[in-house]
Amino acid sequence: MARAGGWAMVAAGASLLLFLTAAALAGPWLAPSHPDEISLEESLLPPGPGHPFGTDYYGRDLLSRVLAGARVSLAISFSAQLVALVIGVSLGAAAGYFGGWVDWLVCRLVDIVMAFPDLLLAIGIAASLGPGPSSVLLALGLVGWPGLCRVVRGEVMALREREFIDAARVAGAGDWWVIRRHVLPNVAGPVIIATSLGLGSRILQEASLSFLGLGVQPPTASWGSMVHLGLRWLSRAPWLVVFPGLAVALAVLASNLLGDGLRDVLDPRLSD
Amino acid sequence: MARARRRSRAPLLRVVDLRVEFRTARGRVQAVDGVSFSLDRGEALAVVGESGSGKSATALSLMRLLPEPPARVTGGRVLLRGRDILDLTEEDMRRVRGREMAMVFQEPAGALNPVMTVGRQVMEAVTAHRAVTRREARRLALLALAEAGVPSPAARFGHFPHQLSGGMKQRVMMAMALASGPALLIADEPTTALDVTAQRRVLDLLAYLRRRHGLALLLITHDLGVVAQVADRVAVLYAGRIVETAPVRSFFRGPVHPYARGLLDAARMATEAGELKAVPGGVPDPRGLPPGCRFAPRCRLRLAGGSAAGARRCLERLPAPVEVGPGHVVWCWRAGVVS
Amino acid sequence: MSLMSFENVVKVYPALRSALPGARRGAGRRLAVDDVTFSVGRGESYALVGESGCGKTTLARLGLALIRPTSGRVRFAGADVHRMRARELFAFRRRVQMVFQDPVGALDPRQRVWSAVEEPLILHGKGPPRRRLEQVARLLEVVGLSAEEGRRLPHQLSGGQRQRVVIARALALDPDLLFLDEPVSSLDVSVRAQILNLLCRIRRERGLGLVIISHDLGVVRHVADRVGVMHAGRLVEEGPAGGVLASPAHPYTQALLEAVPVPDPGARRPPPAQPPPEPVDPARGPSRGCLYAPLCPRAQGRCFSRRPPLRPLPGAAGTPPPPGAGPGRLHLVACHHPER
Ligand SMILES: Nc1ncnc2c1ncn2[C@@H]1O[C@H](COP(=O)(O)OP(=O)(O)OP(=O)(O)O)[C@@H](O)[C@H]1O
Ligand SMILES: Nc1ncnc2c1ncn2[C@@H]1O[C@H](COP(=O)(O)OP(=O)(O)OP(=O)(O)O)[C@@H](O)[C@H]1O
Ligand code: SF4
Ligand SMILES: [Mg+2]
Ligand SMILES: [Mg+2]
């Protein structure tokens, strides 16, 4: 039963995420106008036939800007999660597999990173690197890996006691072969789950950082910076906050659905 | 009155025409192909047979523990005290497992949680059907471990499965299975990793529980010595079908089916030097079985002295059961001829 | 010359410090192998039998350099296997293989059967892919698995089929020495006979040496040249298979042989009226004496105070060892009151 529900969640999450990504990629063709095209006489128009999401203070078409923002936000979040994935999996696998001082070192590193609230640390790193998309990407990646690292470390430690690891050794395999051929494939399930759940956090954090003005700089749009700019007109033109905010919520929901669904589907019997 | 009598006559477990198949990317494997037997309170049935003949699949489907998919029970009934457990909801089934019937699995690595201490696992089994305090649960778990023959159970309590020897793990599984006092124990090769003295101890425990508490036992084993020591009845499985079932004495006095005879010969020859005797022919491909007797391609009896029509009948038609003695039934076209 | 020799090997599993939930400090320290010395010759078949938990699997893992001894040495063709450099170790791995006790644990749940059998061939660079696959097919056939079964994942096989996969894998590299930990325990007598015949044939043809761990004394009697009987981490009796199994001298070996169930329901023991008594932990025996003393019908006096050394059976001089045969031919026993 849990399984059928799981598959439904996976399908919903994946298609939503796919839809958002496709919309972001097709943005330039879908958008009614150029996202940065200013037309002051159309300032702060409510959603209507010409501008489905309305316009902002400069008369820029909001739909076009949300689509353009999707490109930026999703690109940064996906890449940040990729950075987190690479760091988390390699450190986690090394710690779990080799144990001893490697494990000690990695665990302390995780402790340190986890000691700070994620967002605060990301702000600190991004600020010290200077504003811009690449520093946000790096900051989010550097903040996002400990969760994955812990998952991988735990799984690998349990795997290491399994006899097939010894069996591979007896067949002549070295550490690298064992990790690549026997350890990583067997942690793939939990890693996929943790990655898609983490993606939700990255999207949210990217929005928060851009909201604070640390991400892309104007006039380039990202969801977070759009919410930030829209706040000033909240009472007069609430659509300026509602649509980018909705986009963030939708993307986060999609990745959480995917992650939770995958957990239901993959966890009961990983070996199936 | 009549109801009570009827209930007392119904066996504890009755399996009728059970069929299980596995669906794989390359077609179906009919693992269990119409197995029927019954088991009474206090009785012990030993199931022996070819590797891959469907013994574990039968056992797991009685517990409803086969992963579905790829497995599917395609037919038959499993009546526990007259109630078909194949119809139960998963929740009702959970209540049946452990309390009514418990199982010792063939391989510890698949059945014990590698990241939980064995003590906690036994405690979980103890508390699954009983509301007791932690202290009490621990005491009962230690008792269960000692009963199953784990020496110094307290010292083993905090160990993880990989820290135990193969035989120790088997005894831990036995302790877990017996912890909640089941009426029926399904034991899938429960003593393969035990030395003969530890094995004797476990078999004594089972014999005691049968006598004292009426435990019914379904024992899957390859060791015909164990069969002779423990079982009341024997069923021989070949390619998913029972080919012979008999009271234990009758079986050892003279099995009739050629495969069963091959098994007993192989066991008795094991002590002699030179080439060991095996049942001739290879292990059958589950997809290449004849419509008739599954054993026919390997069978010598089929051709010996018989007519060509008889040999063909073996290949083409499923053998009908023949009762060759009291309670001793054989599925072989030539059973009447040879016994 | 012996192919592999264990010299005064001791293995203590350290207390576990684990991050896993429920672990208690200090749980786990255990003397698993206690000063064991024995050797296996080229093409020889040596059987280890003994109590469950007495350290047989641990010895095998020491012999394969999977774990390090606390003290003592394991030599293979003269070289200490625990001091080998990576290159030597790699070469050693080709020559010494193992069939693990629990096939579910020993097979990667995500690796198909043919890939598991092919893996050692890839690792040791045995031929181009086509040749390798031919060899895999041949190995599967030899252990009685069909090509269709070769394409399955381990959990899609029966217990005995998995056990045969592990055997096929161990044979893939054509090793010189093979450790077999309960290799045929979940095979029916007929398939078991086929596998044992196969092993004996390879032994005859290529001089494969075997260290076979088994609780089935019938199997031991059939394949072993020599037998070592272990109890509580120690070797308590060793000698030619015929001698040890036909006229055991150590009371533990005698108890073992006496407990073998016979395939005859007429010889059945009556069901006990009491549950079996609390098991005795051999590791908790007298600290200085013989560890079997608490269970031994012959225990008296110094059994409780002095550890009996492993030495030639007194009176076995009737059959003097053939010249040059070395100590391997002797019947040794560690008991103060040996009896035949
Ligand atoms: N998941 C699966 N997919 C496909 N076939 C399967 C699967 N599981 C088991 N089988 C097949 O079903 C048959 C019966 O398997 P089962 O485990 O019941 O055998 P068994 O009698 O217990 O044998 P053994 O004595 O070797 O343990 C075997 O041929 C096996 O290969
Ligand atoms: N990794 C480990 N950590 C701690 N103790 C261990 C570990 N592995 C084995 N032991 C202990 O060492 C002892 C010997 O174990 P071993 O597996 O060698 O026994 P065995 O002779 O193979 O027994 P069996 O016949 O039951 O498989 C046992 O008491 C076991 O609990
Ligand atoms: S029915 Fe025929 S083929 Fe089958 S076992 Fe009997 S004689 Fe052999
Ligand atoms: Mg089985
Ligand atoms: Mg062992």
Side-chain angles (χ1 to χ4, degrees):
Chain A
M1 300 312 104
R3 234 163 170 179
W7 279 118
M9 275 155 75
V10 170
S15 41
L16 201 53
L17 215 52
L18 221 64
F19 167 75
L20 288 170
T21 317
L25 291 177
W29 295 276
L30 288 178
S33 57
H34 190 273
D36 299 336
E37 190 182 301
I38 292 175
S39 146
L40 286 171
E41 57 271 29
E42 292 193 300
S43 170
L44 295 178
L45 285 182
H51 302 283
F53 284 9
T55 61
D56 67 1
Y57 178 73
Y58 301 102
R60 294 179 292 201
D61 178 59
L62 202 65
L63 174 60
S64 313
R65 287 188 67 73
V66 168
L67 286 172
R71 281 179 94 108
V72 174
S73 292
L74 291 182
I76 293 181
S77 312
F78 279 132
S79 328
Q81 186 60 11
L82 195 68
V83 173
L85 181 74
V86 171
I87 302 178
V89 169
S90 22
L91 289 186
Y97 186 79
F98 294 110
W101 65 265
V102 181
D103 186 35
W104 187 89
L105 209 70
V106 171
C107 284
R108 296 297 81 76
L109 211 60
V110 168
D111 288 345
I112 292 170
V113 176
M114 299 270 266
F116 298 94
D118 282 2
L119 203 55
L120 240 88
L121 190 61
I123 292 170
I125 298 175
S128 66
L129 290 173
S134 51
S135 63
V136 169
L137 187 163
L138 212 63
L140 293 184
L142 288 176
V143 165
W145 63 270
L148 264 163
C149 178
R150 280 195 170 171
V151 168
V152 173
R153 171 177 175 270
E155 292 284 328
V156 172
M157 272 175 77
L159 273 177
R160 204 177 48 162
E161 310 296 359
R162 299 279 297 272
E163 234 168 21
F164 68 82
I165 300 290
D166 283 334
R169 240 287 152 79
V170 169
D175 288 334
W176 178 231
W177 176 283
V178 171
I179 291 177
R180 202 164 42 97
R181 301 282 290 244
H182 297 290
V183 173
L184 291 182
N186 280 290
V187 300
V191 166
I192 292 171
I193 295 164
T195 305
S196 35
L197 285 173
L199 186 62
S201 316
R202 295 301 89 72
I203 292 170
L204 207 58
Q205 288 165 354
E206 189 278 336
S208 312
L209 254 59
S210 319
F211 178 84
L212 295 174
L214 285 165
V216 290
Q217 297 304 306
T220 312
S222 93
W223 291 340
S225 62
M226 287 169 72
V227 173
H228 173 71
L229 290 173
L231 269 186
R232 225 183 306 165
W233 312 97
L234 189 58
S235 52
R236 265 182 66 194
W239 54 89
L240 290 186
V241 175
V242 168
F243 287 110
L246 217 57
V248 173
L250 221 54
V252 173
L253 179 71
S255 42
N256 285 352
L257 271 178
L258 184 64
D260 285 336
L262 282 172
R263 174 153 51 205
D264 285 358
V265 174
L266 292 178
D267 251 8
R269 244 179 80 102
L270 280 168
S271 53
D272 242 0
Chain B
M1 199 46 222
R3 196 140 157 254
R5 199 172 333 122
R6 188 152 11 99
R7 189 180 317 140
S8 72
R9 234 190 284 137
L12 176 67
L13 176 78
R14 204 152 76 85
V15 177
V16 186
D17 199 29
L18 183 69
R19 288 164 197 279
V20 179
E21 66 177 27
F22 288 98
R23 267 184 276 176
T24 67
R26 291 162 302 279
R28 291 154 199 245
V29 179
Q30 189 76 43
V32 182
D33 190 10
V35 163
S36 306
F37 61 87
S38 68
L39 192 58
D40 250 324
R41 224 178 96 83
E43 203 184 1
L45 170 68
V47 178
V48 300
E50 178 101 330
S51 165
S53 58
K55 302 181 295 298
S56 303
T58 303
L60 288 167
S61 57
L62 299 186
M63 293 292 287
R64 295 234 332 239
L65 286 174
L66 276 174
E68 302 185 33
R72 212 160 70 91
V73 176
T74 51
R77 285 183 299 159
V78 177
L79 303 166
L80 184 70
R81 299 187 205 279
R83 193 166 55 144
D84 191 343
I85 62 164
L86 295 178
D87 294 336
L88 295 183
T89 61
E90 183 49 38
E91 194 178 329
D92 286 338
M93 193 59 214
R94 261 202 295 275
R95 272 196 284 277
V96 169
R97 270 182 226 128
R99 196 153 43 176
E100 296 266 15
M101 50 206 279
M103 179 159 174
V104 178
F105 297 89
Q106 187 170 4
E107 280 131 342
L112 293 173
N113 183 341
V115 292
M116 203 197 251
T117 61
V118 292
R120 275 188 41 183
Q121 296 186 54
V122 182
M123 272 170 70
E124 263 186 13
V126 168
T127 53
H129 297 284
R130 249 181 303 192
V132 290
T133 61
R134 266 190 80 80
R135 279 269 296 280
E136 182 65 3
R138 191 182 151 87
R139 197 183 64 82
L140 290 171
L142 285 171
L143 219 60
L145 283 169
E147 194 170 55
V150 175
S152 338
R156 295 294 185 184
F157 218 69
H159 283 198
F160 290 93
H162 77 265
Q163 295 178 292
L164 300 187
S165 76
M168 216 77 82
K169 281 185 272 204
Q170 270 187 336
R171 281 172 281 183
V172 169
M173 286 198 298
M174 182 63 75
M176 286 167 67
L178 294 176
S180 44
L184 165 66
L185 179 71
I186 300 173
D188 196 349
E189 309 197 15
T191 58
T192 46
L194 297 183
D195 63 279
V196 283
T197 53
Q199 168 173 285
R200 171 179 279 188
R201 199 181 173 292
V202 167
L203 298 183
D204 277 353
L205 173 69
L206 294 177
Y208 167 78
L209 291 175
R210 279 174 57 203
R211 208 171 95 147
R212 188 66 210 281
H213 301 288
L215 175 77
L217 179 64
L218 181 70
L219 177 73
I220 297 172
T221 180
H222 290 302
D223 189 334
L224 292 175
V226 171
V227 173
Q229 296 305 310
V230 173
D232 299 322
R233 279 190 304 127
V234 185
V236 183
L237 222 57
Y238 187 86
R241 302 182 72 89
I242 293 184
V243 294
E244 178 157 1
T245 168
V248 70
R249 282 173 186 274
S250 178
F251 179 82
F252 280 93
R253 220 177 295 126
V256 175
H257 193 281
Y259 176 69
R261 285 202 284 176
L263 276 191
L264 198 57
D265 281 352
R268 294 218 166 114
M269 294 279 295
T271 47
E272 292 168 27
E275 191 86 336
L276 283 170
K277 203 167 145 194
V279 178
V283 181
D285 183 337
R287 297 168 311 166
L289 294 171
C293 173
R294 308 296 194 236
F295 188 62
R298 287 170 78 182
C299 187
R300 282 186 184 164
L301 215 56
R302 181 169 67 93
L303 303 167
S307 62
R312 206 162 352 101
R313 176 179 61 176
C314 285
L315 279 168
E316 287 167 0
R317 284 176 48 211
L318 274 175
V322 180
E323 181 147 13
V324 295
H328 190 155
V329 183
V330 181
W331 283 257
C332 168
W333 283 121
R334 305 188 62 102
V337 186
V338 287
S339 67
Chain C
M1 195 186 97
S2 70
L3 188 59
M4 181 172 272
S5 59
F6 289 71
E7 297 163 11
N8 305 97
V9 173
V10 175
K11 175 67 188 177
V12 179
Y13 284 109
L16 174 91
R17 261 197 321 171
S18 169
L20 296 170
R24 274 190 311 131
R25 272 186 99 89
R29 188 188 147 81
R30 194 155 261 269
L31 178 57
V33 170
D34 186 3
D35 194 12
V36 167
T37 301
F38 74 95
S39 63
V40 191
R42 221 171 273 282
E44 192 188 20
S45 161
Y46 189 97
L48 275 173
V49 301
E51 217 200 355
S52 161
C54 67
K56 304 178 297 294
T57 300
T58 302
L59 269 182
R61 296 166 67 84
L62 286 163
L64 281 148
L66 286 171
I67 50 176
R68 303 189 69 82
T70 308
S71 69
R73 217 179 277 223
V74 181
R75 287 181 198 278
F76 179 75
D80 186 335
V81 302
H82 294 100
R83 302 215 168 160
M84 287 183 179
R85 293 164 186 286
R87 282 260 299 284
E88 290 170 286
L89 194 63
F90 184 69
F92 164 77
R93 295 262 191 248
R94 197 200 67 66
R95 301 181 60 191
V96 183
Q97 287 290 305
M98 171 153 181
V99 172
F100 287 84
Q101 186 168 12
D102 186 342
V104 166
L107 291 170
D108 184 337
R110 300 197 159 258
Q111 195 173 30
R112 297 204 180 266
V113 166
W114 62 264
S115 161
V117 178
E118 190 193 15
E119 186 174 17
L121 298 171
I122 303 177
L123 282 163
H124 290 271
K126 296 274 172 176
R130 253 255 275 359
R131 276 259 313 284
R132 283 203 305 261
L133 289 182
E134 276 164 19
Q135 206 175 343
V136 171
R138 211 202 50 193
L139 285 161
L140 289 179
E141 195 191 318
V142 152
V143 296
L145 290 171
S146 68
E148 195 274 328
E149 281 152 348
R151 284 190 289 272
R152 295 200 197 157
L153 287 168
H155 77 268
Q156 298 173 322
L157 296 173
S158 80
Q161 289 164 342
R162 282 190 281 256
Q163 197 159 44
R164 284 177 272 156
V165 176
V166 178
I167 293 173
R169 184 176 151 107
L171 291 175
L173 290 174
D174 194 9
D176 295 337
L177 181 64
L178 188 54
F179 282 85
L180 298 141
D181 198 352
E182 296 288 350
V184 291
S185 61
S186 56
L187 300 178
D188 63 82
V189 267
S190 169
V191 176
R192 171 178 309 188
Q194 288 167 6
I195 297 282
L196 293 177
N197 287 339
L198 168 74
L199 288 172
C200 290
R201 205 186 67 223
I202 302 178
R203 237 190 96 196
R204 262 197 323 271
E205 288 170 4
R206 337 195 75 109
L208 168 71
L210 301 175
V211 178
I212 181 162
I213 297 169
S214 181
H215 290 306
D216 187 329
L217 298 177
V219 169
V220 170
R221 192 172 280 128
H222 187 75
V223 295
D225 300 327
R226 275 196 305 142
V227 180
V229 182
M230 283 183 78
H231 178 262
R234 298 176 182 178
L235 212 49
V236 295
E237 184 160 4
E238 182 190 70
V244 172
L245 296 177
S247 49
H250 196 282
Y252 174 67
T253 318
Q254 290 166 356
L256 212 54
L257 282 159
E258 191 269 324
V260 175
V262 283
D264 172 14
R268 198 156 171 167
R269 292 156 7 100
Q274 299 293 319
E278 278 257 322
V280 178
D281 190 349
R284 301 261 165 114
S287 58
R288 286 183 303 147
C290 171
L291 289 178
Y292 192 61
L295 286 168
C296 183
R298 283 187 235 144
Q300 48 173 295
R302 61 195 166 137
C303 292
F304 295 95
S305 57
R306 257 190 53 214
R307 176 173 171 174
L310 191 66
R311 59 182 170 203
L313 188 62
T319 50
R329 293 276 142 225
L330 287 174
H331 188 160
L332 308 171
V333 61
C335 175
H336 290 306
H337 311 286
E339 211 174 73
R340 303 189 84 162

PDB file of all heavy atoms in Angstrom, chain B residues 257-258 293 295-296 299 301-302 314 319 331-334, ligand 3:
ATOM      1  N   HIS B 257       9.916 -43.734  -4.554  1.00  0.00           N
ATOM      2  CA  HIS B 257      10.189 -42.889  -5.709  1.00  0.00           C
ATOM      3  C   HIS B 257      11.681 -42.923  -6.038  1.00  0.00           C
ATOM      4  O   HIS B 257      12.525 -42.853  -5.142  1.00  0.00           O
ATOM      5  CB  HIS B 257       9.761 -41.450  -5.413  1.00  0.00           C
ATOM      6  CG  HIS B 257       9.712 -40.603  -6.643  1.00  0.00           C
ATOM      7  ND1 HIS B 257      10.847 -40.070  -7.204  1.00  0.00           N
ATOM      8  CD2 HIS B 257       8.682 -40.241  -7.442  1.00  0.00           C
ATOM      9  CE1 HIS B 257      10.510 -39.398  -8.300  1.00  0.00           C
ATOM     10  NE2 HIS B 257       9.195 -39.492  -8.459  1.00  0.00           N
ATOM     11  N   PRO B 258      12.017 -43.020  -7.321  1.00  0.00           N
ATOM     12  CA  PRO B 258      13.441 -43.151  -7.664  1.00  0.00           C
ATOM     13  C   PRO B 258      14.293 -41.984  -7.164  1.00  0.00           C
ATOM     14  O   PRO B 258      15.443 -42.198  -6.781  1.00  0.00           O
ATOM     15  CB  PRO B 258      13.434 -43.221  -9.187  1.00  0.00           C
ATOM     16  CG  PRO B 258      12.051 -42.889  -9.625  1.00  0.00           C
ATOM     17  CD  PRO B 258      11.157 -43.178  -8.486  1.00  0.00           C
ATOM     18  N   CYS B 293       5.788 -36.526 -15.482  1.00  0.00           N
ATOM     19  CA  CYS B 293       6.578 -36.587 -14.263  1.00  0.00           C
ATOM     20  C   CYS B 293       7.803 -35.699 -14.413  1.00  0.00           C
ATOM     21  O   CYS B 293       8.549 -35.806 -15.380  1.00  0.00           O
ATOM     22  CB  CYS B 293       7.013 -38.020 -13.995  1.00  0.00           C
ATOM     23  SG  CYS B 293       8.148 -38.138 -12.612  1.00  0.00           S
ATOM     24  N   PHE B 295      10.451 -35.724 -12.929  1.00  0.00           N
ATOM     25  CA  PHE B 295      11.721 -36.414 -12.759  1.00  0.00           C
ATOM     26  C   PHE B 295      12.064 -37.284 -13.971  1.00  0.00           C
ATOM     27  O   PHE B 295      13.185 -37.775 -14.108  1.00  0.00           O
ATOM     28  CB  PHE B 295      11.667 -37.281 -11.484  1.00  0.00           C
ATOM     29  CG  PHE B 295      12.974 -37.906 -11.095  1.00  0.00           C
ATOM     30  CD1 PHE B 295      14.066 -37.108 -10.768  1.00  0.00           C
ATOM     31  CD2 PHE B 295      13.124 -39.289 -11.063  1.00  0.00           C
ATOM     32  CE1 PHE B 295      15.284 -37.680 -10.408  1.00  0.00           C
ATOM     33  CE2 PHE B 295      14.345 -39.860 -10.712  1.00  0.00           C
ATOM     34  CZ  PHE B 295      15.415 -39.050 -10.380  1.00  0.00           C
ATOM     35  N   ALA B 296      11.113 -37.428 -14.854  1.00  0.00           N
ATOM     36  CA  ALA B 296      11.264 -38.399 -15.944  1.00  0.00           C
ATOM     37  C   ALA B 296      12.585 -38.296 -16.721  1.00  0.00           C
ATOM     38  O   ALA B 296      13.213 -39.315 -17.004  1.00  0.00           O
ATOM     39  CB  ALA B 296      10.068 -38.295 -16.887  1.00  0.00           C
ATOM     40  N   CYS B 299      15.190 -40.155 -14.930  1.00  0.00           N
ATOM     41  CA  CYS B 299      14.781 -41.387 -14.270  1.00  0.00           C
ATOM     42  C   CYS B 299      15.255 -42.630 -15.016  1.00  0.00           C
ATOM     43  O   CYS B 299      15.056 -42.762 -16.215  1.00  0.00           O
ATOM     44  CB  CYS B 299      13.264 -41.408 -14.142  1.00  0.00           C
ATOM     45  SG  CYS B 299      12.682 -42.785 -13.164  1.00  0.00           S
ATOM     46  N   LEU B 301      14.312 -45.685 -13.878  1.00  0.00           N
ATOM     47  CA  LEU B 301      13.217 -46.620 -13.738  1.00  0.00           C
ATOM     48  C   LEU B 301      12.272 -46.570 -14.933  1.00  0.00           C
ATOM     49  O   LEU B 301      11.672 -47.550 -15.327  1.00  0.00           O
ATOM     50  CB  LEU B 301      12.445 -46.218 -12.480  1.00  0.00           C
ATOM     51  CG  LEU B 301      11.835 -47.328 -11.661  1.00  0.00           C
ATOM     52  CD1 LEU B 301      12.892 -48.320 -11.261  1.00  0.00           C
ATOM     53  CD2 LEU B 301      11.188 -46.717 -10.431  1.00  0.00           C
ATOM     54  N   ARG B 302      12.167 -45.357 -15.487  1.00  0.00           N
ATOM     55  CA  ARG B 302      11.227 -45.115 -16.565  1.00  0.00           C
ATOM     56  C   ARG B 302      11.463 -46.085 -17.711  1.00  0.00           C
ATOM     57  O   ARG B 302      10.539 -46.580 -18.340  1.00  0.00           O
ATOM     58  CB  ARG B 302      11.416 -43.676 -17.051  1.00  0.00           C
ATOM     59  CG  ARG B 302      10.505 -43.246 -18.155  1.00  0.00           C
ATOM     60  CD  ARG B 302      10.617 -41.761 -18.347  1.00  0.00           C
ATOM     61  NE  ARG B 302      11.923 -41.360 -18.856  1.00  0.00           N
ATOM     62  CZ  ARG B 302      12.204 -41.207 -20.142  1.00  0.00           C
ATOM     63  NH1 ARG B 302      11.280 -41.430 -21.033  1.00  0.00           N
ATOM     64  NH2 ARG B 302      13.404 -40.839 -20.521  1.00  0.00           N
ATOM     65  N   CYS B 314       5.306 -41.660 -18.691  1.00  0.00           N
ATOM     66  CA  CYS B 314       6.018 -40.905 -17.662  1.00  0.00           C
ATOM     67  C   CYS B 314       6.275 -39.478 -18.111  1.00  0.00           C
ATOM     68  O   CYS B 314       6.172 -38.534 -17.349  1.00  0.00           O
ATOM     69  CB  CYS B 314       7.352 -41.568 -17.348  1.00  0.00           C
ATOM     70  SG  CYS B 314       7.195 -43.063 -16.363  1.00  0.00           S
ATOM     71  N   PRO B 319       2.022 -38.308 -12.865  1.00  0.00           N
ATOM     72  CA  PRO B 319       1.711 -39.563 -12.180  1.00  0.00           C
ATOM     73  C   PRO B 319       0.585 -39.369 -11.168  1.00  0.00           C
ATOM     74  O   PRO B 319       0.478 -38.306 -10.543  1.00  0.00           O
ATOM     75  CB  PRO B 319       3.006 -39.917 -11.455  1.00  0.00           C
ATOM     76  CG  PRO B 319       4.055 -39.031 -11.988  1.00  0.00           C
ATOM     77  CD  PRO B 319       3.397 -37.863 -12.614  1.00  0.00           C
ATOM     78  N   TRP B 331       4.056 -40.539  -5.894  1.00  0.00           N
ATOM     79  CA  TRP B 331       3.592 -40.076  -7.188  1.00  0.00           C
ATOM     80  C   TRP B 331       4.562 -40.569  -8.257  1.00  0.00           C
ATOM     81  O   TRP B 331       5.519 -39.886  -8.613  1.00  0.00           O
ATOM     82  CB  TRP B 331       3.514 -38.555  -7.210  1.00  0.00           C
ATOM     83  CG  TRP B 331       2.314 -38.000  -6.505  1.00  0.00           C
ATOM     84  CD1 TRP B 331       1.197 -37.528  -7.098  1.00  0.00           C
ATOM     85  CD2 TRP B 331       2.119 -37.839  -5.104  1.00  0.00           C
ATOM     86  NE1 TRP B 331       0.297 -37.094  -6.150  1.00  0.00           N
ATOM     87  CE2 TRP B 331       0.832 -37.271  -4.926  1.00  0.00           C
ATOM     88  CE3 TRP B 331       2.874 -38.152  -3.955  1.00  0.00           C
ATOM     89  CZ2 TRP B 331       0.307 -36.980  -3.659  1.00  0.00           C
ATOM     90  CZ3 TRP B 331       2.352 -37.858  -2.716  1.00  0.00           C
ATOM     91  CH2 TRP B 331       1.082 -37.282  -2.567  1.00  0.00           C
ATOM     92  N   CYS B 332       4.353 -41.769  -8.719  1.00  0.00           N
ATOM     93  CA  CYS B 332       5.257 -42.345  -9.706  1.00  0.00           C
ATOM     94  C   CYS B 332       4.477 -43.414 -10.448  1.00  0.00           C
ATOM     95  O   CYS B 332       3.784 -44.219  -9.844  1.00  0.00           O
ATOM     96  CB  CYS B 332       6.469 -42.963  -9.006  1.00  0.00           C
ATOM     97  SG  CYS B 332       7.465 -44.004 -10.097  1.00  0.00           S
ATOM     98  N   TRP B 333       4.576 -43.385 -11.773  1.00  0.00           N
ATOM     99  CA  TRP B 333       3.818 -44.354 -12.569  1.00  0.00           C
ATOM    100  C   TRP B 333       4.252 -45.779 -12.293  1.00  0.00           C
ATOM    101  O   TRP B 333       3.515 -46.717 -12.504  1.00  0.00           O
ATOM    102  CB  TRP B 333       3.963 -44.045 -14.069  1.00  0.00           C
ATOM    103  CG  TRP B 333       3.131 -42.884 -14.515  1.00  0.00           C
ATOM    104  CD1 TRP B 333       3.579 -41.743 -15.094  1.00  0.00           C
ATOM    105  CD2 TRP B 333       1.717 -42.752 -14.435  1.00  0.00           C
ATOM    106  NE1 TRP B 333       2.550 -40.885 -15.367  1.00  0.00           N
ATOM    107  CE2 TRP B 333       1.375 -41.490 -14.972  1.00  0.00           C
ATOM    108  CE3 TRP B 333       0.692 -43.565 -13.937  1.00  0.00           C
ATOM    109  CZ2 TRP B 333       0.077 -41.025 -15.043  1.00  0.00           C
ATOM    110  CZ3 TRP B 333      -0.611 -43.100 -14.015  1.00  0.00           C
ATOM    111  CH2 TRP B 333      -0.907 -41.838 -14.566  1.00  0.00           C
ATOM    112  N   ARG B 334       5.457 -45.950 -11.867  1.00  0.00           N
ATOM    113  CA  ARG B 334       5.946 -47.316 -11.702  1.00  0.00           C
ATOM    114  C   ARG B 334       5.990 -47.739 -10.245  1.00  0.00           C
ATOM    115  O   ARG B 334       6.593 -48.766  -9.919  1.00  0.00           O
ATOM    116  CB  ARG B 334       7.322 -47.441 -12.351  1.00  0.00           C
ATOM    117  CG  ARG B 334       7.284 -47.008 -13.820  1.00  0.00           C
ATOM    118  CD  ARG B 334       8.576 -47.320 -14.504  1.00  0.00           C
ATOM    119  NE  ARG B 334       8.832 -48.745 -14.518  1.00  0.00           N
ATOM    120  CZ  ARG B 334       8.638 -49.517 -15.581  1.00  0.00           C
ATOM    121  NH1 ARG B 334       8.195 -48.999 -16.701  1.00  0.00           N
ATOM    122  NH2 ARG B 334       8.899 -50.793 -15.514  1.00  0.00           N
TER     123      ARG B 334
HETATM  124  S1  SF4 D   3       6.925 -41.517 -12.771  1.00  0.00           S
HETATM  125 FE1  SF4 D   3       8.297 -42.427 -14.191  1.00  0.00          FE
HETATM  126  S2  SF4 D   3       9.838 -40.921 -14.487  1.00  0.00           S
HETATM  127 FE2  SF4 D   3       8.729 -40.321 -12.694  1.00  0.00          FE
HETATM  128  S3  SF4 D   3       9.885 -41.231 -11.099  1.00  0.00           S
HETATM  129 FE3  SF4 D   3       8.333 -42.708 -11.582  1.00  0.00          FE
HETATM  130  S4  SF4 D   3       9.308 -43.987 -13.071  1.00  0.00           S
HETATM  131 FE4  SF4 D   3      10.590 -42.232 -12.929  1.00  0.00          FE
END
